Amino acid sequence: MEITVGEHSVRHIRRIVRSLLSEWELEPLTFAVELGVSELVTNVVRHVPDRRCRVVVARQAAGVRAEVSDGFAALPRLETEVDEESEGGRGLALLDAVVDKWGVSPGAGGKTVWFECHGCPADADADADAEVSR
């Protein structure tokens, strides 16, 4: 979807993501995908002057890929040291902590920040339990 986001957009986008994951029977990925999309859309609200972006959530054979593209060429940075009292700077660190992989693809006059969540954590736990019991 191509939208102009505002302060309340994240809540609505989270609902859409939750609905897609439910439809795809990938509920175990809900926390990570919702958090990832929320952080990326929040970055658009905070840092992209026109607040316009394109949000894609796609099912893949091994999970989900999400992308948030905008027309602002400045690339995001993963902050390694953030002041405890700072209200910002943690979004990409949170993303890094909950997804399998992520990156930034520069484009003509903008960028796409993407991430992937592979498989279902519940399936991975079941596979690990099965391996231990053999």
Side-chain angles (χ1 to χ4, degrees), residues 17-34:
V17 167
R18 193 175 315 120
S19 176
L20 285 172
L21 294 173
S22 177
E23 182 179 322
W24 296 335
E25 298 180 357
L26 293 174
E27 288 92 345
L29 297 177
T30 301
F31 174 77
V33 177
E34 275 189 18

Side-chain angles (χ1 to χ4, degrees), residues 3 17 21 45 49 65 79 81 90 97 127:
I3 56 175
V17 167
L21 294 173
V45 172
R65 178 180 173 99
E79 299 291 338
E81 294 183 26
R90 293 179 182 82
D127 290 345

